[in-house]
Amino acid sequence: MVNLSEIYTNNILERITDGFFAVDENWKFTYVNTIATKLLFRNQEDLVGENIWVQFPEAVDLIFYEQYHKAFAEQCSVSFDAFFPPLDRWFGVRAYPSPNGLSVLFQDITEKKRENSKKDQHYLSLFEHHPDAVFSFNLDGFYQSVNKGMEELLGYKSEEYLNISYKPLVNEKNVEEVTEKFNRSVLGEIQHYETQAQHKNGQLIDVSVTNIPIIVDGKVVGVYGIAKDITKEKIQDQLLIQSEKLSAVGQLSASIAHEIRNPLTSLKGFLQLMEPLLKEIEASYFDIMVDEINRIEKITGELLLLAKPQAVKKYTENIIDIIEDVVNLLQPQALMNHIQIEVSTSTLPMIICDRNQLKQAFINLIKNSIESMGDGGVIQIDLMKLNEESIHIQIVDQGCGISEDLLNRIGLPFYTTKDKGTGLGMMTTIKIIEHHKGSIKLASEVGEGTIIDIILPTLKGHALVDG
């Protein structure tokens, strides 16, 4: 007798666009539709009645075997994607169990997988080859992935980042602020901010950061980050601000100096006339007044030095000769204070400079070092070639040092750490170095001394800057 229900069911299964087959409890094929035979490159008569694992032994070591047995043993449906190497194809599979066996629907999703793989490679290429540092976090702030830019930014290898939090790599002063920004990203908000990151070598790096929530199926599952080193930009901003301050002080200095100098000259002249006439006045009083007027004259002179354009004559010079002249000049003062000045150098490229101006700058710096070393010691001066475009002069003293708060104010007009200083010497020095297209940087610790690093362009470097 013809089973109409079975015929009707088979007709439906032949019309569907998915491959379909059924196996019994002994894993033998009981039905295979036409689409399935095409996808599997087999005939129905070769499969029906045969054991699936005998016909496709390669599948035993793949996810197919595991998932089909799970569905039958637990009587639960399963759905998965799997690659079948013998056919070089990807299949999307759904399996539905019954007490008597298993029904399986499957599709060839190879092209879809390849398209997705291309998209994944595009995103991966953007991630890996982005010029900035790119990274991702889980919801707890632990790194999940980093690109080469991130390795270069902070000096750690990718494996060193994984499974650690961002917090140890942020300047401790900024951790609270960065955490607040991260938490906002976890809530779905894009965040842009600047902070300081800690390089593996201990150096603090200024960075601009963007945090972007990773959203999957409408839920935030992590956070992407993009960081850019802006240390150079920060330094340039500070130099610009300093330059503007110097310009403003120069204009102010000129007017102040001229206003003071004229009446000061009159006072000094009359004081000299009065001294022989007023015998009853203690002579030391006149000495004190003359000293103080001389001191005021010195200050006005320094103000004018800052204010008026200097007649600069630049020639090709040897920096070693300039340093030797300065050391010879200051050696007697150093020896009187039990200080030894040591100079280390090698063959260096020539520079273009105003010899007298540079000598004045180095005299100011080395005198500061001498005056900071009340207990004697060594001032080490190292002259080095950085490259064909620049040289590096480093002055290291063993003085009293300067606290971080005070160090940030060095070079400001009228600020000084000396009892009788004017605060203009360091300002003049900075102006001279910058006028020679160089840079100067101070580092200091209280009780440890001060390190001054000066970079000056060589003859070749000067030509590049001017060009």
Side-chain angles (χ1 to χ4, degrees):
M1 185 176 180
V2 177
N3 189 329
L4 295 177
S5 175
E6 183 177 342
I7 293 174
Y8 180 73
T9 300
N10 289 347
N11 284 336
I12 293 175
L13 294 175
E14 286 296 327
R15 292 173 183 271
I16 64 175
T17 57
D18 290 354
F20 174 85
F21 65 83
V23 294
D24 61 19
E25 65 271 19
N26 296 315
W27 301 102
K28 291 183 178 181
F29 288 102
T30 58
Y31 180 81
V32 182
N33 74 354
T34 303
I35 295 296
T37 61
K38 292 179 179 179
L39 292 175
L40 298 175
F41 296 93
R42 299 292 185 90
N43 296 321
Q44 284 180 328
E45 55 270 23
D46 294 333
L47 294 177
V48 174
E50 299 294 328
N51 186 289
I52 185 174
W53 310 122
V54 173
Q55 291 298 312
F56 300 97
E58 301 90 351
V60 173
D61 296 323
L62 302 174
I63 191 174
F64 301 95
Y65 188 89
E66 174 192 333
Q67 291 295 312
Y68 289 169
H69 277 79
K70 176 184 177 181
F72 188 72
E74 299 179 11
Q75 288 295 294
C76 65
S77 61
V78 294
S79 178
F80 59 94
D81 295 343
F83 181 69
F84 191 56
L87 298 179
D88 192 29
R89 312 301 289 174
W90 277 91
F91 294 107
V93 183
R94 290 164 291 162
Y96 303 94
S98 72
N100 299 321
L102 204 65
S103 298
V104 178
L105 287 162
F106 63 103
Q107 294 177 318
D108 185 341
I109 59 170
T110 305
E111 293 306 315
K112 180 181 177 182
K113 280 288 185 181
R114 285 173 180 167
E115 285 300 316
N116 288 340
S117 176
K118 287 180 181 179
K119 291 179 181 178
D120 290 342
Q121 289 180 54
H122 288 168
Y123 289 125
L124 183 62
S125 179
L126 177 63
F127 182 88
E128 289 291 341
H129 302 293
H130 198 290
D132 296 329
V134 184
F135 44 91
S136 64
F137 299 114
N138 64 16
L139 294 177
D140 295 320
F142 285 80
Y143 287 96
Q144 300 296 291
S145 59
V146 299
N147 72 344
K148 292 180 181 178
M150 187 62 173
E151 290 184 332
E152 294 170 0
L153 180 68
L154 299 184
Y156 294 92
K157 296 296 183 183
S158 59
E159 57 270 18
E160 294 180 274
Y161 284 102
L162 300 183
N163 299 316
I164 65 169
S165 166
Y166 63 85
K167 293 181 180 179
L169 305 183
V170 176
N171 183 357
E172 59 182 15
K173 295 179 180 178
N174 304 122
V175 170
E176 185 176 345
E177 178 189 1
V178 172
T179 299
E180 189 266 335
K181 299 291 186 182
F182 177 81
N183 291 338
R184 284 184 175 272
S185 298
V186 170
L187 295 175
E189 300 178 21
I190 296 175
Q191 298 292 302
H192 303 281
Y193 57 96
E194 293 180 3
T195 187
Q196 284 190 315
Q198 186 98 26
H199 193 277
K200 189 174 182 179
N201 64 14
Q203 180 184 356
L204 288 175
I205 299 174
D206 291 298
V207 290
S208 172
V209 182
T210 298
N211 283 349
I212 306 166
I214 303 172
I215 301 175
V216 177
D217 296 330
K219 293 177 62 177
V220 177
V221 297
V223 173
Y224 275 124
I226 302 173
K228 184 175 182 178
D229 187 345
I230 58 170
T231 306
K232 290 183 180 178
E233 288 88 336
K234 285 285 187 182
I235 292 173
Q236 290 299 323
D237 289 344
Q238 291 171 1
L239 290 175
L240 180 60
I241 292 170
Q242 185 75 357
S243 177
E244 290 174 348
K245 287 180 179 178
L246 287 170
S247 177
V249 169
Q251 296 172 24
L252 179 63
S253 298
S255 60
I256 293 174
H258 284 296
E259 290 296 325
I260 294 176
R261 231 175 187 186
N262 291 333
L264 197 61
T265 302
S266 299
L267 288 172
K268 188 173 181 181
F270 283 118
L271 190 61
Q272 290 170 341
L273 289 173
M274 292 166 58
E275 184 175 3
L277 300 176
L278 301 174
K279 300 296 183 182
E280 67 276 10
I281 297 178
E282 181 74 32
S284 61
Y285 292 174
F286 285 99
D287 294 337
I288 293 171
M289 286 189 284
V290 170
D291 286 345
E292 291 304 309
I293 289 176
N294 286 337
R295 175 171 159 76
I296 297 172
E297 277 190 327
K298 179 184 176 184
I299 294 173
T300 56
E302 288 181 322
L303 285 171
L304 285 174
L305 181 65
L306 283 172
K308 66 182 180 182
Q310 301 298 303
V312 177
K313 295 183 179 179
K314 291 184 178 180
Y315 300 98
T316 301
E317 301 281 0
N318 187 335
I319 187 65
I320 300 175
D321 293 340
I322 294 173
I323 295 295
E324 286 180 350
D325 285 350
V326 172
V327 170
N328 289 334
L329 178 66
L330 297 176
Q331 195 72 263
Q333 182 182 350
L335 293 174
M336 287 174 60
N337 290 275
H338 309 290
I339 294 169
Q340 185 176 354
I341 302 176
E342 296 180 354
V343 180
S344 172
T345 187
S346 58
T347 303
L348 296 175
M350 303 295 279
I351 65 171
I352 292 182
C353 69
D354 183 306
R355 185 183 187 94
N356 291 328
Q357 279 203 352
L358 272 193
K359 282 177 68 174
Q360 183 60 55
F362 287 114
I363 286 170
N364 290 345
L365 294 173
I366 297 172
K367 276 186 69 177
N368 286 344
S369 292
I370 291 172
E371 291 169 5
S372 73
M373 295 170 61
D375 298 326
V378 176
I379 296 174
Q380 179 67 41
I381 304 173
D382 294 320
L383 292 89
M384 299 161 276
K385 173 183 172 182
L386 284 182
N387 47 52
E388 293 300 324
E389 289 82 36
S390 55
I391 59 172
H392 178 199
I393 303 101
Q394 185 176 76
I395 303 171
V396 182
D397 68 44
Q398 298 173 336
C400 57
I402 309 168
S403 68
E404 184 177 352
D405 291 341
L406 299 181
L407 189 65
N408 293 331
R409 300 170 65 185
I410 294 293
L412 294 178
F414 307 112
Y415 177 77
T416 179
T417 57
K418 303 176 187 176
D419 292 337
K420 294 186 178 181
T422 65
L424 298 174
M426 195 63 194
M427 192 174 179
T428 303
T429 298
I430 293 172
K431 188 173 182 180
I432 290 171
I433 297 298
E434 290 179 350
H435 185 71
H436 283 78
K437 305 188 186 304
S439 64
I440 179 169
K441 182 180 179 182
L442 279 74
S444 189
E445 275 189 51
V446 175
E448 297 294 328
T450 300
I451 300 175
I452 304 169
D453 291 293
I454 298 168
I455 307 295
L456 289 173
T458 63
L459 189 62
K460 181 178 180 179
H462 202 280
L464 290 174
V465 173
D466 285 342

